[in-house]
């Protein structure tokens, strides 16, 4: 009799409904994963197939994304290390907030008419 | 690999403290092809070096199952309550899988989860009894560990197809004399080595010892 896998016997609804009550702690030392492995994990990641730069000369989607895709193919890595995601994400957040503050602190042209007498 | 290691028949690992009975089960839990759930305790009573994803409820088990995790260290704050929920959930799992998912449940200090008592309606004891009597029909192997085989529920103990026996105190040997354990073989065995008996009394393997890394 063919065996089944654990995932075959739970459905998505059951899992989602119990996530809040089912504390799951992967337990680094007993599951064998070190802090280093967590920081440099590259999964889950979007597959290379999802990048829309496979065709020749795609001026809209090419450029740096194509370069990145090529480097991933060379390195045979589909994702980037988790710690890099965290660092870049924080930098992006900082930059976007800085830009927003710059706009808010600008000359406020929008909305106010200069009264000229 | 020996049948007793892989089949769905239940196993009891019996013996005094620090004689190797838990180490063998640690190895079984780590290396079995079954999906194995160790119903552990928290705090000072917790058994250490148990491999697997740490969970604290059946909700955690469900999440792990969705990811095809096959080893669990279920850190229960109330094993008497959790063993009931676990047995019920595993029944539904076996039903869904049509008995095609080999499962294993390990309960250490089993005399606490299934105490010997003549009282009616003891849910945790009854859950362990169900696992011992009916688990095999659902492809669920129950593994009980106890250093007090006198205090464990006798109905559950009688259902154990395999009995891995390690050195015990005299009064325990006397109390278990009707089980036909080969005390001479057990006491002559090397340190940290047990003797595997069948439910019918025969000796299946006269030296069972865990690998060093599970000690």
């Amino acid at each position: 009799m063919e065996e089944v896998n654990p995932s075959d016997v739970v459905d998505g609804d059951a899992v989602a409904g119990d996530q809040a009550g089912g504390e799951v702690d992967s337990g680094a030392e007993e599951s064998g994963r070190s802090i280093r492995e967590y920081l440099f994990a590259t999964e889950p990641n979007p597959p290379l197939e999802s990048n829309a730069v496979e065709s020749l000369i795609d001026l809209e989607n090419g450029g740096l994304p194509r370069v990145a895709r090529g480097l991933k193919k060379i390195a045979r890595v589909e994702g980037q290390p988790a710690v890099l995601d965290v660092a870049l994400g924080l930098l992006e957040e900082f930059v976007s907030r800085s830009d927003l503050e710059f706009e808010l602190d600008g000359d406020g042209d929008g909305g106010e008419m200069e009264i000229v007498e | 690999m020996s049948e007793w290691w892989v089949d769905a028949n239940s196993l009891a690992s019996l013996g005094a403290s620090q004689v190797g009975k838990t180490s063998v089960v640690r190895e079984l839990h780590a290396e079995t092809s079954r999906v194995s759930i160790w119903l552990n305790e928290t705090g000072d009573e917790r058994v250490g070096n148990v491999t697997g994803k740490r969970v604290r409820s059946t909700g955690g088990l469900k999440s792990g199952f969705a990811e095809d995790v096959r080893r669990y260290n279920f850190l229960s704050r109330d094993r008497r309550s959790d063993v009931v929920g676990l047995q019920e959930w595993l029944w539904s799992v076996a039903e869904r899988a049509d008995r095609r998912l080999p499962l294993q449940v390990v309960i250490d200090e089993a005399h606490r989860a299934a105490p010997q008592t003549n009282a009616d309606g003891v849910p945790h004891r009854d859950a362990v009894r169900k696992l011992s009597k009916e688990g095999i029909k659902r492809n669920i192997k129950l593994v009980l560990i106890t250093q007090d085989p006198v205090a464990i529920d006798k109905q559950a103990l009688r259902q154990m197809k395999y009995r891995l026996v390690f050195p015990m105190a005299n009064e325990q040997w006397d109390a278990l004399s009707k089980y036909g354990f080969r005390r001479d073989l057990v006491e002559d065995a090397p340190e940290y080595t047990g003797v595997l008996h069948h439910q019918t009394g025969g000796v299946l393997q006269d030296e069972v010892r865990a690998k060093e890394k599970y000690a």
Side-chain angles (χ1 to χ4, degrees), chain A residues 1-7 9-11 15 18-19 21-25 27 29-30, chain B residues 46 49-50 53-54 56-57 60 62-63 65-66 68 70 73 77 96-97 100-102:
Chain A
M1 195 161 38
E2 193 183 323
E3 287 184 6
V4 300
N5 293 315
S7 58
V9 299
V10 291
D11 58 54
V15 171
D18 286 311
Q19 282 278 4
E23 301 168 47
V24 174
D25 169 6
E29 67 272 20
E30 286 184 326
Chain B
R46 175 175 150 187
N49 298 325
V50 172
K53 191 179 189 73
R54 289 187 204 167
R56 297 189 187 275
S57 68
K62 288 179 194 176
S63 299
F65 269 51
D68 279 329
R70 300 184 72 89
N73 186 2
R77 294 186 184 96
R96 276 185 180 229
R100 289 180 295 153
L101 179 63

Side-chain angles (χ1 to χ4, degrees), chain A residues 102-115:
Chain A
F102 177 77
E103 286 173 17
L104 291 175
D105 289 339
D107 52 13
D109 275 338
E112 246 185 69
M113 281 179 61
E114 186 180 331
I115 299 173

Side-chain angles (χ1 to χ4, degrees), chain B residues 143-194:
Chain B
V143 181
L144 301 179
I145 312 170
T146 181
Q147 60 183 343
D148 196 352
V150 177
I152 194 173
D153 176 55
K154 292 298 174 290
Q155 278 196 35
L157 186 58
R158 274 201 296 274
Q159 296 297 323
M160 298 287 112
K161 189 71 73 179
Y162 302 118
R163 293 95 180 263
L164 183 55
V165 183
F166 291 81
M168 289 186 277
N170 277 337
E171 53 270 26
Q172 288 173 333
W173 281 119
D174 294 340
L176 298 174
S177 59
K178 63 180 178 181
Y179 286 89
F181 297 143
R182 289 291 302 275
R183 182 172 182 174
D184 56 327
L185 291 179
V186 173
E187 292 183 343
D188 285 346
E191 205 176 15
Y192 306 120
T193 303

